Structures are given as structure tokens and as C-alpha cells.
Amino acid sequence: MDIGMIRGLGTVVVMVAFIGLALWVFSPRRKSEFDDATMLPFADDPEAIKHVEQASRSNKE
């Protein structure tokens, strides 16, 4: 096995990992988890959470 083959296999492994990560990130089943994660910066301020939730409701309408 020469260096070209090793580099080629490394490229394939990285490509498969990238595609898997992209599918995981953009999966509709993960949306609720990521929505919860977006609220973490506001966890200490209930007033800010209320404003963010109102804004997200108005954007959906």
C-alpha cells in the first residue's frame, strides 16, 4: 500500500464523516434539541426567554 492509496482512503473517510455529520445536523428529528440549545444563552433571564419565544411565534405566523 503506497502513500497515494492511504491519502485516498483518508479522503473517503473524511467525506463519509462529513456527509454523516451534515445528515445528523439537518435531520428534522433533531430540531427540538437544537431549538432548546438556542435558548441556553437566555437561561438566566426569564424575561429574555419570553421575548425570544414571542418573536419565534410571530415569525411562524
Side-chain angles (χ1 to χ4, degrees):
M1 195 183 302
D2 64 339
I3 191 70
M5 177 68 92
I6 294 171
R7 287 180 179 167
L9 290 174
T11 301
V12 170
V13 168
V14 170
M15 184 180 68
V16 168
F18 176 79
I19 291 171
L21 182 65
L23 291 173
W24 177 76
V25 167
F26 293 109
S27 172
R29 291 181 290 172
R30 303 277 184 224
K31 181 164 177 34
S32 64
E33 292 176 30
F34 291 136
D35 287 342
D36 292 341
T38 60
M39 299 303 288
L40 285 176
F42 307 109
D44 294 336
D45 190 2
E47 190 67 25
I49 291 175
K50 188 171 96 174
H51 288 295
V52 170
E53 288 174 348
Q54 287 175 352
S56 67
R57 277 191 232 119
S58 66
N59 287 340
K60 289 180 183 178
E61 294 175 353

